[in-house]
Amino acid sequence: MASEKIFDNTEIAFELKSDTELERAHFLFKMISIEPLVRIGTAVTNFAIKASLPVEGLIRSTVFDHFCGGVNEEDCLDVIDAMYSKGVSSVLDFSVEGKETESHFDAAMETTLKIIRFAAEKDAMPIAVFKPTGFGRFYLYEKKGEGKPFTEAEQVEWDRVVARYDAVCKLAKENDVEILIDAEESWMQDAADDLVTDMMRKYNTDQTIVYNTLQMYRHDRMDFLKQQHELAKKESFSLGYKIVRGAYMEKENDRALEKGYPTPICESKQATDINFNAAAKYILDHLDTISLFAGTHNEESSYLIMDMMDEKGIAKNDNRVWFGQLFGMSDNISFNLAHYGYNVAKYVPFGPVKDVMPYLIRRAEENTSVAGQTGRELALIKREKERRKLK
């Protein structure tokens, strides 16, 4: 199957897009391909939002509607149902970032609980997600990971973080909804990893509900995966891992340079690719105890996983193997995989326009910096425009 290059089929990839939406996608990716424009655009947008200028309507009708499902859960329903009609599931992602108060953390937990209840009623939403720093202060994770003792107040605060994780994972287990927990910067990740492992130990007893995230641009993640596997075998629980390449490379390298320690990032893009593919192979080799969510926009890695599944006799719709892409990107991968019967889920971000802007800016910058990503999107959109005879 993989050798047939299924990801080139633009008719399947863009079937849900109207001519107008296809034109908008073409315009957006053309803009994103111009790096100075992205830099200027993000600066102007940030200023406009902070100055309360009336730009939300413009943002909503262009970049927001392309990369986000809506401003709240109900707003996303049309997108969720449309994608599911083509076999693509949704992971609703409350993409509000940078909040630091207990009330915001409680609100993020309540939103995640609401999404799980929402998902329990909809076959189109088998998976939910949250970010560690959505549930607690970055500083706490960092201090915990460094092994420094908490003050009494910090310990109480950390106990609330643990309680939020537990409430979400418990409800996910009760409703048979899988929960993905994102990874963030390496210097806070150790504490998050330990906490997620505790949740796996508690809730992944008879099936995989809780998934941690491995950023494979970190050269230590394969060793971590193998260590966790040994632990899980010894203590009789299963593991779930979303594997991604990673999204904080510049920040990681800058901090390592500034503080004088070796960067945790692989020495090259090729080394990251090798690492990612090795993690996918290791998990597929141990599918009896580890489930895989391959979060990738990389066609070669996707073909490789398809080939490995074929070689190992793993059914395309085996619930222990999922592919995931972001809403608004790599539709040629998502919809073609779903067309051929694989499990596919799109991350569908939602939230108030001004609160989701940091996420949208990161998407624009990421598309600019990932070699070939925007060019590939543009080429496929152009091909579909030609197929539809659009100018």
Side-chain angles (χ1 to χ4, degrees), residues 112-132:
T112 310
L113 292 170
K114 186 179 176 186
I115 289 169
I116 292 168
R117 293 187 195 102
F118 201 56
E121 303 297 317
K122 284 191 79 68
D123 291 342
M125 294 172 57
I127 304 166
V129 64
F130 70 87
K131 276 169 76 85

Side-chain angles (χ1 to χ4, degrees), residues 238-251:
S238 65
L239 298 170
Y241 283 111
K242 178 177 78 163
I243 58 171
V244 298
R245 279 167 169 78
Y248 302 91
M249 188 162 70
E250 284 177 18
K251 202 186 275 189

Side-chain angles (χ1 to χ4, degrees), residues 191-324:
D193 286 338
D194 289 345
L195 189 42
V196 181
T197 298
D198 285 344
M199 295 298 125
M200 288 193 200
R201 189 183 278 118
K202 189 170 181 179
Y203 294 108
N204 287 2
T205 47
D206 49 358
Q207 69 186 96
T208 306
I209 291 291
V210 181
Y211 285 68
N212 200 357
T213 300
L214 298 176
Q215 297 164 309
M216 300 314 299
Y217 66 1
R218 284 181 57 176
H219 48 65
D220 64 347
R221 293 293 84 182
M222 272 306 297
D223 287 342
F224 175 79
L225 171 59
K226 290 171 183 175
Q227 287 160 5
Q228 291 288 294
H229 188 210
E230 288 307 311
L231 178 72
K233 284 191 292 186
K234 195 165 80 178
E235 299 187 19
S236 301
F237 64 93
S238 65
L239 298 170
Y241 283 111
K242 178 177 78 163
I243 58 171
V244 298
R245 279 167 169 78
Y248 302 91
M249 188 162 70
E250 284 177 18
K251 202 186 275 189
E252 291 282 359
N253 286 333
D254 288 349
R255 186 177 190 270
L257 195 63
E258 181 194 324
K259 296 198 174 283
Y261 62 83
T263 179
I265 304 299
C266 290
E267 61 185 8
S268 65
K269 169 75 165 66
Q270 185 186 14
T272 297
D273 291 342
I274 289 166
N275 219 22
F276 182 95
N277 295 339
K281 182 179 188 307
Y282 186 88
I283 295 171
L284 292 175
D285 283 343
H286 299 97
L287 208 54
D288 54 330
T289 48
I290 319 177
S291 295
L292 173 67
F293 187 101
T296 182
H297 293 214
N298 186 292
E299 293 179 19
E300 283 182 31
S301 290
S302 301
Y303 282 132
L304 186 70
I305 293 168
M306 292 159 69
D307 283 342
M308 287 191 284
M309 288 175 72
D310 193 37
E311 285 161 19
K312 294 173 188 300
I314 301 165
K316 291 174 183 177
N317 64 346
D318 189 314
N319 196 58
R320 297 168 298 178
V321 184
W322 281 79
F323 293 85

Side-chain angles (χ1 to χ4, degrees), residues 157-188:
E157 193 182 341
W158 179 254
D159 290 344
R160 284 199 294 267
V161 177
V162 176
R164 289 182 192 110
Y165 273 67
D166 194 68
V168 164
C169 294
K170 182 174 185 287
L171 188 68
K173 171 87 168 177
E174 288 167 358
N175 287 281
D176 198 21
V177 172
E178 291 167 14
I179 186 89
L180 305 173
I181 301 168
D182 284 341
E184 299 185 60
E185 290 90 343
S186 62
W187 57 100
M188 61 72 66

Side-chain angles (χ1 to χ4, degrees), residues 10-18 78-90 124 322 325 331-346 388:
T10 61
E11 185 175 0
I12 292 170
F14 300 115
E15 197 174 349
L16 290 179
K17 283 206 179 339
S18 67
D78 287 348
V79 161
I80 292 166
D81 290 341
M83 290 201 297
Y84 197 58
S85 73
K86 303 301 175 190
V88 175
S89 297
S90 294
W322 281 79
Q325 289 80 40
D331 286 348
N332 65 310
I333 297 177
S334 309
F335 288 95
N336 280 299
L337 279 171
H339 180 79
Y340 285 98
Y342 293 90
N343 295 321
V344 187
K346 282 282 204 188
R388 295 187 192 185

